[in-house]
Amino acid sequence: MSGAARVVLVTGGGRGIGAAVCRLAVEAGYRVAVNYASNEAAAAALVRALGEAGGEALAIKGDVGNEADILSMFEKVDRTFGRLDALVNNAGVVDQRARVDEMSGARLERMMRINVIGSMLCAREAVKRMSTSHGGKGGAIVNISSIAARIGGPGEYVDYAASKGAIDSFTIGLAREVAGEGIRVNAVSPGIVDTEIHASGGQPDRVERMRHVVPMQRAGTTEEVAAAILWLMSDGASYTTGANLEVSGGR
Ligand code: NAP
């Protein structure tokens, strides 16, 4: 692949929706930086598969809830690829099912630190590299939100829903802030997607239990969400910024 190929950094790219973004990005000709938090085996297997598919990919360990990790992740992208064209702010967590009157301060701080501040700090680093006002060539940022932002997650995870509400406001504000600097900023809001995130929140049966509330009567696949993300990254979306594309089966 040519050294001029576009470069995308996908946070939380080792598994789930992020991994599907990495696969489609390689198909579209991007070189891919695959960030992960702790599941090194999943990220390494993905990078191997991307290489076998003819792509160029690099796994980068780093917790987006930690600013020092974010700085060293972007420096690694600089050193390895020498450019950055797109950021997909995909890393995100849920927590155990709980009501607000049961949530600890530590839980809320973790939720906001990873889902909100992590995405904002990654966007900051991407803007420093891509903005034409910083000498960059422009680029695209796609933030992964959730339709939970408008449903609210009552009795389950209002904290998570609120973190995604923050992502929605951040998307609009940053999009307008850097629209004249060659950077487009958009969000994708998935509905229920079949990944391991539900089991990580103690609800391994959530997809099966909830699919009946979806007008399409099924969960989405990671590829269906990734396709929307890839479009927003692409030149086909050249006049689209500040948008929030719901990929939720009509829910
Ligand atoms: P997932 O299957 O649980 O995968 C999460 C990925 O994020 C993993 O690669 C994980 O790394 C990484 N990650 C978690 N915490 C991180 C941290 N602190 N720093 C860096 N990476 C971290 O999740 P998913 O379902 O694909 O979700 C991806 C995004 O879509 C999230 O923002 C989520 O909120 C959003 N979303 C998902 C759904 C759904 O139904 N699945 C619906 C709406 C929105 P390791 O592999 O190292 O653990």
Side-chain angles (χ1 to χ4, degrees):
M1 191 172 288
S2 129
R6 289 185 182 183
V7 174
V8 59
L9 167 61
V10 183
T11 67
R15 294 185 292 119
I17 293 167
V21 172
C22 293
R23 286 191 292 270
L24 289 195
V26 159
E27 276 177 29
Y30 288 86
R31 293 178 288 167
V32 183
V34 182
N35 159 251
Y36 67 98
S38 58
N39 193 332
E40 188 170 359
L46 176 67
V47 164
R48 217 169 23 249
L50 296 175
E52 284 162 12
E56 194 179 324
L58 171 76
I60 308 178
K61 182 176 165 69
D63 175 1
V64 301
N66 178 312
E67 186 171 6
D69 279 15
I70 290 173
L71 293 177
S72 69
M73 171 170 74
F74 276 85
E75 282 161 12
K76 197 154 186 193
V77 171
D78 294 341
R79 280 199 307 276
T80 308
F81 297 113
R83 64 186 282 173
L84 182 68
D85 303 277
L87 165 69
V88 180
N89 261 326
N90 166 78
V93 293
V94 295
D95 210 318
Q96 302 299 303
R97 194 174 188 159
R99 286 168 47 98
V100 171
D101 53 14
E102 298 167 330
M103 290 178 189
S104 67
R107 168 181 170 136
L108 297 179
E109 279 178 19
R110 168 182 174 266
M111 184 65 62
M112 299 302 158
R113 193 174 64 245
I114 295 174
N115 289 9
V116 182
I117 298 175
S119 293
M120 293 177 77
L121 290 175
C122 287
R124 180 191 72 191
E125 292 308 305
V127 167
K128 283 185 189 171
R129 286 158 176 81
M130 301 190 306
S131 167
T132 52
S133 66
H134 289 293
K137 293 183 163 48
I141 296 174
V142 182
N143 296 322
I144 310 310
S145 181
S146 169
I147 63 164
R150 66 169 163 71
I151 293 173
E156 192 173 36
Y157 37 54
V158 169
D159 54 343
Y160 171 79
S163 77
K164 296 302 189 178
I167 290 298
D168 289 355
S169 297
F170 178 59
T171 300
I172 294 167
L174 182 62
R176 292 177 179 176
E177 194 164 288
V178 298
E181 300 170 22
I183 304 176
R184 296 180 300 100
V185 184
N186 294 286
V188 166
S189 291
I192 300 168
V193 183
D194 195 1
T195 71
E196 293 164 353
I197 200 169
H198 311 289
S200 77
Q203 300 189 60
D205 62 339
R206 189 167 183 273
V207 167
E208 184 49 34
R209 211 180 64 233
M210 300 285 290
R211 71 183 173 84
H212 307 288
V213 306
V214 181
M216 284 191 186
Q217 298 286 301
R218 66 172 178 88
T221 66
T222 56
E223 286 73 21
E224 287 172 318
V225 179
I229 295 166
L230 262 288
W231 178 71
L232 287 169
M233 284 161 54
S234 77
D235 293 340
S238 55
Y239 197 55
T240 301
T241 197
N244 192 330
L245 182 48
E246 295 198 345
V247 182
S248 60
R251 187 165 176 225

